[in-house]
Amino acid sequence: MNSVITLTLPGDIRFSRLASQTASNTASLFTDTCNAGAGNWEFSHAFELAVSEAFTNAVNYGDRMQGTRNITITFTIEQRKLTVAIRDANAPFSAETPEPDIETYPEHGYGLMLIRTLMDTVTICRENGENVITMTKQL
Amino acid sequence: MNSVITLTLPGDIRFSRLASQTASNTASLFTDTCNAGAGNWEFSHAFELAVSEAFTNAVNYGDRMQGTRNITITFTIEQRKLTVAIRDANAPFSAETPEPDIETYPEHGYGLMLIRTLMDTVTICRENGENVITMTKQL
Amino acid sequence: MTITETLSSGITIVELCGTIDASTAPELQRHQAISDPTQTIVIDLARLDFLDSSGLGAIIGAARRKEESGANMLLSCMNQKVRRVFDITGTVRLFHIFDETAAAIDYATTLRKSQ
Amino acid sequence: MTITETLSSGITIVELCGTIDASTAPELQRHQAISDPTQTIVIDLARLDFLDSSGLGAIIGAARRKEESGANMLLSCMNQKVRRVFDITGTVRLFHIFDETAAAIDYATTLRKSQ
Ligand SMILES: Nc1ncnc2c1ncn2[C@@H]1O[C@H](COP(=O)(O)OP(=O)(O)O)[C@@H](O)[C@H]1O
Ligand SMILES: Nc1ncnc2c1ncn2[C@@H]1O[C@H](COP(=O)(O)OP(=O)(O)O)[C@@H](O)[C@H]1O
């Protein structure tokens, strides 16, 4: 049976680390349960980093005029697969962002690039007036 | 303005450490924000331990026949006060439990004793058919 | 939680690492050297990050059964967080607690000789 | 995050400890030795537990401004988690990265002499 864990945080950047720590802890719990030996740090760190990026985007591209809206992070533990979905009430956005040109020392634009590299699947969709970025990784 | 953080976990003892880690991380975030210097480990550890105890009770005294019900942990951050409330769908219980007699090497009965010592206020009440244990601690 | 066993001067040292709470206490209770009531052991807690009352209960139960059969469980190297659980519950007085594992081993050796 | 500054052979070493993400990157950007475009520094990452792209962006921005005014930012002692962020983004090739802080200091001293 799948287990679902939900963390709801204020849309405030102060909570970014709580989001990424919880992602890391959930992933570690998942790999422990699966008895996956060494190399676990890579799996946990993938979730730690991907959730840090997605949460930061959810906060940064939110409409500050609207006050702080909540951001919801949902983890779903299946047999050999961990899924995380991050929901925000921001304006819709396109995932077709160009990769940064490294030679110009760009300071931004690495978030989705990291997420796509770290995760097995990444989907961005619109659900009930919210952006939902769903990421999965198989053990 | 108060910040509210909610963590919903399956009522399964496998998730006890995720509950207590999140409590510890939330308390650390709170003390960092308040710029409280040394001695912070005691504040964070109080929440880590109290939430571990309350979550474990919520799971252990749940009706396993009913399948796994969710346990909800809500943190509320105020100016100088952190509150955590843990909700379960268990049968009502009385908080008037006797303290264990140490000389007999008892293996149980330390949970509420620890919670009461660590926290400033502890209230146990019944709300919408759920047990709610609410604990607060001032910085 | 991980449990590591080593032998020093004929005394078994059980090192507990990580977390002991309700999710891991059963594993502790199943560990041979911990559950054997006749075996005196030193539990090295230096790398134990977190203990709650379920973990404490498991340790106390094993200690009681050892005491009842004339064996001992000695504790060493508690960090502040772990110590606090023993202090608040008053169970600190049920144990011989050592700052250094070496001192606990010495004490265990003396106990064995006097038996 | 905590930032500690030390001086060794006339080179400023900035040690970053903890987490650099969007909640702490602004603090990094405000740090004097990091933001001063004319100062060559070594950043010791041994105790940095976690870096994300907001932290990476802050480091890259400061490095670019140093490069533009002829100064340098050298990086040392990255752990595997931190290194992975530089690797995946390809930004690893924008930096001189050293396994040991001492080697980074030597290199910084050589750079200064050759200027
Ligand atoms: N949750 C979100 N809400 C709105 N826009 C987003 C969101 N996530 C990403 N975006 C858009 O996608 C772009 C690329 O994001 P990212 O790769 O993380 O780089 P960066 O945020 O550094 O620009 C952002 O600049 C933003 O326009
Ligand atoms: N969430 C809960 N749901 C139902 N009963 C509870 C709950 N929390 C505590 N109790 C009751 O209170 C008693 C004392 O709890 P505690 O001090 O934690 O000791 P222990 O759980 O080790 O017996 C428990 O034995 C149980 O009967």
Side-chain angles (χ1 to χ4, degrees):
Chain A
M1 210 186 67
N2 298 353
S3 299
V4 177
I5 295 161
T6 309
L7 178 68
T8 306
L9 296 170
D12 182 324
I13 204 62
R14 283 197 294 142
F15 298 100
S16 58
R17 190 62 183 132
L18 192 54
S20 60
Q21 281 170 328
T22 306
S24 172
N25 292 336
T26 303
S28 296
L29 176 67
F30 169 74
T31 55
D32 282 358
T33 311
C34 294
N35 256 319
N40 279 3
W41 76 266
E42 287 182 306
F43 192 90
S44 298
H45 178 247
F47 279 90
E48 185 178 18
L49 192 48
V51 167
S52 192
E53 300 300 339
F55 181 85
T56 300
N57 283 345
V59 173
N60 282 350
Y61 302 111
D63 183 352
R64 275 162 222 184
M65 296 299 113
Q66 303 251 3
T68 325
R69 278 184 291 199
N70 284 335
I71 293 166
T72 306
I73 307 175
T74 311
F75 301 92
T76 307
I77 299 179
E78 289 170 80
Q79 198 66 32
R80 307 281 304 170
K81 188 171 84 176
L82 183 59
T83 302
V84 61
I86 290 137
R87 264 160 246 269
D88 66 56
N90 301 347
F93 71 101
S94 151
E96 306 305 320
T97 52
E99 298 222 330
D101 171 15
I102 302 303
E103 302 311 327
T104 64
Y105 284 71
E107 292 179 46
H108 301 284
Y110 303 107
L112 290 174
M113 180 187 186
L114 282 165
I115 287 175
R116 289 212 179 87
T117 309
L118 294 165
M119 293 289 146
D120 291 347
T121 70
V122 181
T123 57
I124 298 174
C125 70
R126 196 80 190 161
E127 232 177 76
N128 307 319
E130 293 186 314
N131 295 313
V132 188
I133 175 165
T134 307
M135 316 184 260
T136 72
K137 198 173 172 73
Q138 203 96 22
L139 205 70
Chain B
M1 209 188 66
N2 299 352
S3 299
V4 178
I5 295 160
T6 310
L7 179 67
T8 307
L9 295 171
D12 182 323
I13 204 62
R14 281 197 297 142
F15 298 99
S16 58
R17 190 62 183 133
L18 193 53
S20 61
Q21 282 171 327
T22 306
S24 171
N25 292 335
T26 302
S28 296
L29 177 66
F30 169 75
T31 55
D32 281 357
T33 311
C34 294
N35 254 319
N40 278 3
W41 76 266
E42 286 181 308
F43 193 91
S44 298
H45 178 246
F47 279 91
E48 185 179 15
L49 191 48
V51 168
S52 192
E53 299 300 338
F55 181 85
T56 299
N57 281 347
V59 173
N60 281 351
Y61 304 110
D63 183 351
R64 277 166 218 177
M65 294 300 112
Q66 301 252 5
T68 326
R69 278 185 290 197
N70 284 335
I71 294 167
T72 306
I73 309 176
T74 310
F75 301 93
T76 306
I77 300 179
E78 289 170 80
Q79 199 67 31
R80 307 282 302 169
K81 189 171 85 177
L82 183 59
T83 303
V84 61
I86 290 137
R87 264 161 245 269
D88 65 55
N90 302 347
F93 70 101
S94 152
E96 308 304 320
T97 51
E99 297 221 332
D101 171 15
I102 302 303
E103 302 310 327
T104 64
Y105 284 71
E107 292 180 45
H108 300 283
Y110 303 106
L112 290 173
M113 178 187 189
L114 281 165
I115 287 175
R116 289 210 179 85
T117 311
L118 295 165
M119 292 290 146
D120 292 347
T121 70
V122 181
T123 59
I124 296 173
C125 70
R126 195 83 189 157
E127 232 177 74
N128 307 320
E130 293 186 312
N131 295 313
V132 188
I133 175 163
T134 306
M135 318 184 257
T136 72
K137 198 172 173 72
Q138 203 96 22
L139 204 71
Chain C
M1 181 193 51
T2 57
I3 306 181
T4 317
E5 222 180 292
T6 50
L7 204 70
S8 173
S9 317
I11 303 294
T12 299
I13 300 138
V14 178
E15 192 195 17
L16 303 180
C17 182
T19 294
I20 314 179
D21 65 3
S23 67
T24 51
E27 207 180 315
L28 186 88
Q29 285 163 323
R30 281 193 302 268
H31 185 84
Q32 209 277 322
I34 293 170
S35 64
D36 177 358
T38 65
Q39 191 177 353
T40 288
I41 61 172
V42 172
I43 301 198
D44 177 349
L45 301 166
R47 294 171 67 207
L48 187 67
D49 300 321
F50 180 67
L51 176 80
D52 78 355
S53 80
S54 304
L56 177 72
I59 291 174
I60 289 175
R64 186 188 61 235
R65 286 181 285 276
K66 285 183 193 293
E67 298 279 343
E68 285 168 356
S69 35
N72 289 93
M73 178 195 284
L74 310 173
L75 306 178
S76 71
C77 306
M78 290 187 187
N79 71 23
Q80 287 180 298
K81 283 168 64 178
V82 170
R83 173 77 194 209
R84 198 185 196 189
V85 177
F86 284 88
D87 282 340
I88 294 177
T89 56
T91 55
V92 64
R93 70 168 183 275
L94 299 178
F95 293 92
H96 279 288
I97 298 172
F98 298 84
D99 289 343
E100 308 276 343
T101 301
I105 296 168
D106 282 352
Y107 187 79
T109 316
T110 321
L111 281 179
R112 199 176 33 189
K113 279 185 194 137
S114 70
Q115 268 159 16
Chain D
M1 180 193 51
T2 58
I3 307 181
T4 318
E5 220 180 291
T6 49
L7 204 68
S8 172
S9 318
I11 303 292
T12 299
I13 300 137
V14 178
E15 193 195 16
L16 303 180
C17 182
T19 293
I20 315 178
D21 64 3
S23 66
T24 51
E27 207 181 314
L28 185 87
Q29 284 162 324
R30 282 193 302 269
H31 185 83
Q32 210 275 322
I34 292 170
S35 64
D36 177 357
T38 65
Q39 192 178 352
T40 288
I41 61 171
V42 172
I43 302 197
D44 177 349
L45 301 166
R47 294 172 67 206
L48 187 67
D49 300 321
F50 180 65
L51 176 80
D52 78 353
S53 80
S54 304
L56 177 72
I59 292 174
I60 289 176
R64 188 188 59 236
R65 287 181 285 277
K66 285 184 193 291
E67 297 280 342
E68 284 167 357
S69 34
N72 289 94
M73 178 194 281
L74 310 173
L75 306 177
S76 73
C77 305
M78 290 185 185
N79 71 23
Q80 288 181 297
K81 282 169 64 176
V82 170
R83 173 76 194 210
R84 197 185 197 190
V85 177
F86 284 88
D87 282 340
I88 293 177
T89 56
T91 56
V92 64
R93 70 168 183 274
L94 299 177
F95 293 91
H96 280 286
I97 299 171
F98 298 84
D99 289 343
E100 308 276 343
T101 301
I105 297 167
D106 283 351
Y107 188 79
T109 318
T110 320
L111 281 179
R112 199 174 38 187
K113 280 184 194 143
S114 69
Q115 268 159 17

